[in-house]
Amino acid sequence: MDQANPFETPKTFSLHRAEYLVGFAVSTGLLLAHIDEIRWIPAVALFLYIDLIGYIPGAIAFKRSGGKPISKVYYVLYNVMHSLITQAAVAALWCWLIGPEWALLVLPFHLFGDRGLFGNFMKSFALPFEPVRQTGYLRLLDDLGVAHPKPVGHAQDPEPVGHIAEAPRPAARAREEALR
């Protein structure tokens, strides 16, 4: 789900991220091996456009909302722009229209870096746009007898659930209070 609530154990989440670190290392190695052959203006543009469209608008909306739920449009933009499928289509279209070139390596470099280095995967409508520890995930870890991962810091205290509007049931509220 996100780095605060992967709904995997912390160990399997680390292994999942490690797989993307391999892709990040390969794309980094290829970028370095062909550094003199890269057209840097297209490379920088390809690297940045993913976040300019897919992350920054949602991050701004989330910050402005004070942690309250934001439009699902931002989640869709993030997920579409951070999809390996979308970026493979962009690379294929680029190769067809402009021709293959080493600058395209920044696409997997960006996505593998986001997932491997930062633990950023697709965003779920059920969670806040930015990672916030969920009491349900922490209870799951407790039930499994697994230590909690380190918390993710935020300037404000976002609501613990993204787009679920119903109020917690009394029993759920009591459990949440007991966890605090």
Side-chain angles (χ1 to χ4, degrees), residues 98-116:
I98 298 168
E101 62 177 300
W102 293 110
L104 292 169
L105 280 171
V106 300
L107 298 174
F109 176 82
H110 183 130
L111 299 180
F112 293 156
D114 273 359
R115 292 177 181 155

Side-chain angles (χ1 to χ4, degrees), residues 75 77 106 113 148 156 167 171 175:
Y75 291 73
L77 285 171
V106 300
H148 294 187
Q156 73 259 4
R175 275 195 310 270

Side-chain angles (χ1 to χ4, degrees), residues 29 54 69 75 94 106 112 118 123 128 154-155 158 176 180:
Y75 291 73
W94 187 286
V106 300
F112 293 156
F118 305 116
K123 295 196 179 287
H154 291 282
E176 287 178 14
R180 292 183 189 153

Side-chain angles (χ1 to χ4, degrees), residues 18 30 35 40 59 68 71 78 81-82 87 108-109 116 121 129 149-150 158-160 180:
L30 288 169
I35 200 161
W40 286 103
K68 301 272 191 271
S71 171
Y78 182 92
M81 294 307 297
H82 287 82
Q87 298 313 319
F109 176 82
F121 290 85
F129 189 81
K150 66 178 182 156
E159 289 186 6
R180 292 183 189 153

Side-chain angles (χ1 to χ4, degrees), residues 24-139:
F24 180 72
V26 169
S27 59
T28 300
L30 288 169
L31 280 167
L32 292 173
H34 298 282
I35 200 161
D36 294 335
E37 302 169 67
I38 296 172
R39 291 189 314 134
W40 286 103
I41 291 175
V44 169
L46 286 165
F47 183 87
L48 293 176
Y49 99 100
I50 294 170
D51 283 341
L52 288 173
I53 296 170
Y55 173 69
I56 293 174
I60 291 169
F62 179 80
K63 185 164 180 62
R64 286 184 179 165
S65 77
K68 301 272 191 271
I70 62 173
S71 171
K72 293 179 183 181
V73 169
Y74 297 113
Y75 291 73
V76 172
L77 285 171
Y78 182 92
N79 291 341
V80 168
M81 294 307 297
H82 287 82
S83 166
L84 290 165
I85 297 166
T86 300
Q87 298 313 319
V90 167
L93 188 61
W94 187 286
C95 288
W96 182 53
L97 295 173
I98 298 168
E101 62 177 300
W102 293 110
L104 292 169
L105 280 171
V106 300
L107 298 174
F109 176 82
H110 183 130
L111 299 180
F112 293 156
D114 273 359
R115 292 177 181 155
L117 295 173
F118 305 116
N120 295 329
F121 290 85
M122 297 296 182
K123 295 196 179 287
S124 168
F125 291 152
L127 295 172
F129 189 81
E130 293 289 355
V132 178
R133 290 166 65 128
Q134 301 292 307
T135 55
Y137 175 64
L138 298 176
R139 282 194 306 271

